[in-house]
Amino acid sequence: MLAGEDAATDVIHVAIVGGGCAGLTTAFELSDPKLAGRHQINVYQQGWRLGGKGASGRGVAGRIEEHGLHVWLGFYENAFGLIRRAYAELAEHPLGSPFGDWRDAFLPEPNVGVFAPTGERGWQVWRTSFPPRPGLPGDPDLEPSEDPMITYVAGALAMLRTLVLDTVIVPVSEKPVIADDWPLSIRRMLDGGLMAGAVAVSQALMLLAAGMREGLRESESDELLALVQEVAAVVRDWTRERLLADHPDGHVWLVAELVTASLVGTVRHRLIGHPEGLDALDDWDCRDWLRTNGASEAAVQSPFMRGMYDLAMAYEDGDPARPRLAAGAALRGTVRMFFGYRGALFWRMRAGMGDTVFAPLYECLRRRGVRFHFFHRLTDVVLGADRSHVAALTFDRQATLPDNTSYDPLISVAGRPCWPAEARWEQLLERGGAKSGIDMEGDERDVAATEIVLRVGRDFDFVVLAVGVGALPVVASQLLARSPRWRVMVDQVKTVATQAFQLWLRDDLSAGAPLGAPRIASAFAKPFDTWCDMRHVIPEEGWAEAGYDLPAMALYFCGALADLPGLPAGAGTAHMASERVRRAAITFLEGPAGDVWPRLREGAQVNWARLVGDLRSDRNEGFYWRANVAASDRYTLCLPGSTRWRISPLALDFDNLTVAGDWTANGLNTGCIEAAVMSGMLASNALSGSPPLASIVGFDHP
């Protein structure tokens, strides 16, 4: 029995440092009632709110202020499973639930688009509506595949077959132009006409699927590779370049070309049954891997690929000229996104991320007995004399509460429990209701803060380090000094700063807009390449209570923020970054945003009268911007060659320490909610054996 265990109840005391999605998932799993209270959990959180990179707050007029644009994808099986369990538990609790049903909190969104520049004509939008698929994300009936690659390939083949059969609309009697240098098998396929050729290609794809399912000898695999390469050549040369160059749906063949290049690579690299799965490709950049397997430059530079890199913030140091994304992680995310979603491709949240996700999780965990300690900034993880375990944790206590009281972090807006955009100063003693000028969530330390030391055996038995990887050099220097693996991991698993801004508008700018903008879009102009129409959250805000007319439209924009080398850390850096974002947003609104919403501009200037609020006041009600430059706010990249250095929560390099976060080796290895939840589940398993690894959807190999 550990020194910190209660002798009568064998309770294990766990300190979770960091209240982001990974840390809260760990707390949720360890406090599961089926574990019968075996763990006493304390969560230590810097500042006044939970959520990490997904935190949101309520500002002027109860408006939702996010760190960036957050939507959930329909393949987030573990994340939806978590939040559905929390909502259900709250609804069944004797105290009742103020949050309602999860299906009211998440809205299906099938309509998405990517933008393509068209030179002097501005922009063209390629939009589509993905059909609903059976079930809902988080349904407990998902059967794991023996080899996920077979599922991925089957989905890709089905998609390619649909493209071949649905897009070729030339009459059957019309003959294709058949080049003499094409392989004989392909020439025979096409000799019967375009529709017959399309059917033949699709039949070849079905044979390919059957062969890959059954397993092949090396000689058969080589023959199969030759066949796939022939099919890829047809897709690339025959359909796109020779027949559909001017067809209004010709862009779908860029997708077909990417799919066939992926199939070529799947066969060439023998990914079916490979012990490393898609991780075997992570030393490649995704575009380079596709080029190697036959994709043209037009395909790898297409809006579809730009959208993939944009959504992953995949720009090293935030530089748009340095797009880099590990091929295996990119393919895994893509196939799960398009072939593994349930219900809808995207799910938008009814309100802010903090309101929809982290407030319910907080309330559920609090009712379970999890203790939360806000205003605790981690400063050091101290190893014991033998350097094998964590002996102490040191914190700066950023604020003090009156004796025998606990901090109540939530406020009510439009009848919903929410996180405020700043601390509830009226509850705090030391500040006297006034700010100190220190950003409690930033990197700058308050020299006036009180130091608190937690010790193993007295305050905790185990530690879950759920802070951002960018913070480790500062708060965990002893761990890095002890472990070469940790040092390499911190060096290789890099992060990027991000930027975001939001607009609230008096009228609907999309009415009559020439591009008919989709709800969710990516591959748009830098630096705010991804955006979403968020008007659905307006009724959840507090405009009417604050005396405003209800806005007609809300728009959220986000993108990577380039690092400026040589700048010292601290409040000055954060302020400079915030001003950079404000100016970039104005330039963006004066420029490319006007191509989508012409009425946003008045000549070459932004028509600020469209925005809600009095622009002459110090507080701008209709315009919010944010620079995410603090170590814990930076987005985790998945650079080529980096995933092998990620540390798994199962590793336990130190006896009483595990890690949690989307930067760990978690089975998905991309910066997203699902990866963070999977990591938190793994951290819980490392300490308790629960949940079982087999229950973590998508965790294919530990």
Side-chain angles (χ1 to χ4, degrees):
M1 185 176 68
L2 295 171
E5 294 181 5
D6 185 304
T9 60
D10 290 342
V11 171
I12 300 172
H13 296 261
V14 181
I16 299 177
V17 184
C21 198
L24 294 184
T25 299
T26 310
F28 191 86
E29 296 293 349
L30 289 177
S31 62
D32 192 311
K34 68 185 180 185
L35 297 181
R38 186 182 177 197
H39 303 92
Q40 175 58 60
I41 302 162
N42 289 271
V43 177
Y44 297 89
Q45 173 63 41
Q46 179 176 331
W48 67 92
R49 59 181 167 182
L50 303 174
K53 293 188 287 290
S56 68
R58 296 305 188 108
V60 176
R63 69 182 186 183
I64 296 167
E65 298 175 356
E66 297 274 10
H67 276 51
L69 172 60
H70 298 288
V71 293
W72 285 33
L73 276 72
F75 78 88
Y76 285 6
E77 296 290 343
N78 299 291
F80 272 105
L82 172 80
I83 204 66
R84 289 174 61 172
R85 287 163 60 195
Y87 271 76
E89 185 173 321
L90 287 168
E92 295 169 0
H93 197 279
L95 294 178
S97 172
F99 299 102
D101 189 90
W102 79 272
R103 285 165 292 194
D104 297 324
F106 289 85
L107 308 174
E109 180 54 70
N111 299 307
V112 296
V114 292
F115 278 81
T118 57
E120 295 180 356
R121 292 179 292 171
W123 293 88
Q124 176 187 9
V125 60
W126 295 346
R127 66 174 60 83
T128 189
S129 180
F130 287 83
R133 290 176 55 122
L136 293 171
D139 280 353
D141 58 351
L142 191 66
E143 290 294 330
S145 170
E146 292 184 7
D147 186 343
M149 281 304 305
I150 293 177
T151 303
Y152 299 161
V153 169
L157 288 166
M159 178 181 181
L160 185 54
R161 185 172 186 271
T162 299
L163 290 172
V164 168
L165 294 178
D166 289 354
T167 308
V168 178
I169 59 173
V170 185
V172 174
S173 60
E174 184 174 332
K175 295 282 187 176
V177 177
I178 303 177
D180 292 337
D181 58 346
W182 285 1
L184 179 62
S185 57
I186 297 298
R187 283 187 276 144
R188 288 175 175 169
M189 280 185 196
L190 303 183
D191 192 51
L194 293 182
M195 286 303 293
V199 171
V201 171
S202 68
Q203 289 172 343
L205 296 175
M206 293 304 101
L207 290 173
L208 168 63
M212 298 184 81
R213 287 175 187 274
E214 295 172 4
L216 299 166
R217 295 190 300 271
E218 185 170 344
S219 60
E220 293 174 325
S221 181
D222 291 340
E223 293 174 4
L224 183 57
L225 176 59
L227 174 61
V228 178
Q229 288 175 315
E230 290 174 2
V231 173
V234 172
V235 171
R236 183 178 60 248
D237 300 327
W238 168 46
T239 54
R240 186 176 57 80
E241 296 178 6
R242 301 183 185 229
L243 297 176
L244 293 177
D246 298 321
H247 191 280
D249 292 328
H251 62 272
V252 302
W253 288 99
L254 294 173
V255 180
E257 190 177 325
L258 294 170
V259 173
T260 53
S262 299
L263 291 172
V264 169
T266 297
V267 177
R268 171 177 284 141
H269 292 272
R270 307 185 192 282
L271 295 179
I272 300 293
H274 196 293
E276 295 182 42
L278 287 170
D279 290 349
L281 305 180
D282 274 345
D283 284 347
W284 293 79
D285 175 72
C286 187
R287 281 190 171 112
D288 290 341
W289 184 78
L290 290 167
R291 288 186 185 101
T292 298
N293 291 294
S296 68
E297 199 62 22
V300 299
Q301 298 297 341
S302 67
F304 307 106
M305 290 299 296
R306 287 193 291 108
M308 177 195 299
Y309 279 67
D310 290 347
L311 290 172
M313 303 284 182
Y315 299 96
E316 191 167 4
D317 298 328
D319 184 352
R322 300 176 68 194
R324 298 186 68 213
L325 179 60
L331 289 172
R332 181 185 294 110
T334 300
V335 295
R336 289 187 183 177
M337 176 178 176
F338 289 111
F339 309 135
Y341 74 87
R342 293 206 278 181
L345 183 74
F346 284 105
W347 292 78
R348 291 178 290 132
M349 285 168 280
R350 173 78 69 180
M353 183 85 159
D355 316 325
T356 303
V357 176
F358 295 111
L361 282 176
Y362 165 74
E363 183 61 24
C364 184
L365 291 170
R366 188 184 65 81
R367 292 181 183 182
R368 287 183 176 185
V370 174
R371 300 169 184 169
F372 290 88
H373 306 268
F374 295 95
F375 309 108
H376 280 64
R377 179 198 298 274
L378 179 67
T379 59
D380 201 8
V381 179
V382 182
L383 293 179
D386 62 0
R387 301 201 298 172
S388 67
H389 68 284
V390 176
L393 300 170
T394 66
F395 295 88
D396 282 348
R397 186 176 62 190
Q398 300 171 293
T400 307
L401 294 162
D403 291 340
N404 301 318
T405 62
S406 59
Y407 183 67
D408 180 8
L410 301 179
I411 61 174
S412 179
V413 178
R416 179 188 294 274
C418 304
W419 302 92
E422 59 181 70
R424 300 186 65 183
W425 302 103
E426 73 278 5
Q427 298 184 42
L428 308 179
L429 282 182
E430 291 181 333
R431 308 298 176 175
K435 301 179 186 180
S436 68
I438 300 294
D439 179 5
M440 288 187 174
E441 296 180 326
D443 289 335
E444 188 180 20
R445 291 184 61 181
D446 188 343
V447 295
T450 303
E451 183 178 83
I452 295 176
V453 180
L454 306 182
R455 300 196 182 279
V456 68
R458 184 190 70 186
D459 304 300
F460 65 86
D461 300 309
F462 286 98
V463 176
V464 179
L465 194 57
V467 300
V469 65
L472 294 182
V474 175
V475 303
S477 59
Q478 292 189 34
L479 304 183
L480 272 59
R482 174 69 177 86
S483 171
R485 193 159 80 108
W486 277 60
R487 292 196 298 273
V488 174
M489 184 269 295
V490 167
D491 182 62
Q492 295 295 322
V493 182
K494 296 185 178 181
T495 63
V496 65
T498 63
Q499 55 187 324
F501 76 94
Q502 301 170 206
L503 296 179
W504 292 263
L505 299 139
R506 299 179 188 275
D507 52 359
D508 183 357
L509 298 184
S510 62
L515 291 178
R519 287 278 189 174
I520 301 174
S522 193
F524 195 53
K526 299 285 187 290
F528 300 102
D529 44 51
T530 303
W531 50 265
C532 187
D533 185 335
M534 297 290 288
R535 69 184 71 194
H536 63 280
V537 306
I538 292 173
E540 305 297 325
E541 297 176 323
W543 298 99
E545 295 89 332
Y548 294 87
D549 292 334
L550 214 61
M553 191 175 191
L555 295 170
Y556 291 14
F557 302 82
C558 68
L561 175 64
D563 290 328
L564 297 181
L567 290 179
T573 302
H575 177 76
M576 289 174 57
S578 177
E579 181 60 17
R580 284 173 58 204
V581 174
R582 186 187 72 84
R583 295 189 180 194
I586 293 173
T587 301
F588 180 83
L589 294 173
E590 291 173 342
D595 295 339
V596 182
W597 303 282
R599 291 194 296 152
L600 188 60
R601 292 191 306 220
E602 189 78 32
Q605 303 295 318
V606 179
N607 185 357
W608 294 107
R610 298 273 187 202
L611 272 64
V612 169
D614 184 358
L615 295 176
R616 297 167 297 180
S617 68
D618 292 336
R619 59 182 201 179
N620 191 330
E621 292 90 343
F623 183 24
Y624 170 75
W625 64 93
R626 181 180 178 92
N628 298 304
V629 295
S632 59
D633 287 340
R634 293 171 64 95
Y635 185 90
T636 305
L637 294 175
C638 189
L639 300 177
S642 69
T643 57
R644 70 177 66 212
W645 303 111
R646 287 173 173 245
I647 292 175
S648 170
L650 302 176
L652 298 182
D653 289 359
F654 301 91
D655 292 345
N656 63 338
L657 172 73
T658 187
V659 291
D662 61 10
W663 52 271
T664 64
N666 52 64
L668 191 55
N669 295 344
T670 53
C672 65
I673 294 295
E674 178 74 350
V677 170
M678 292 171 71
S679 182
M681 296 171 78
L682 290 171
S684 175
N685 177 277
L687 300 186
S688 69
S690 179
L693 296 182
S695 71
I696 304 176
V697 180
F699 184 66
D700 302 323
H701 46 272

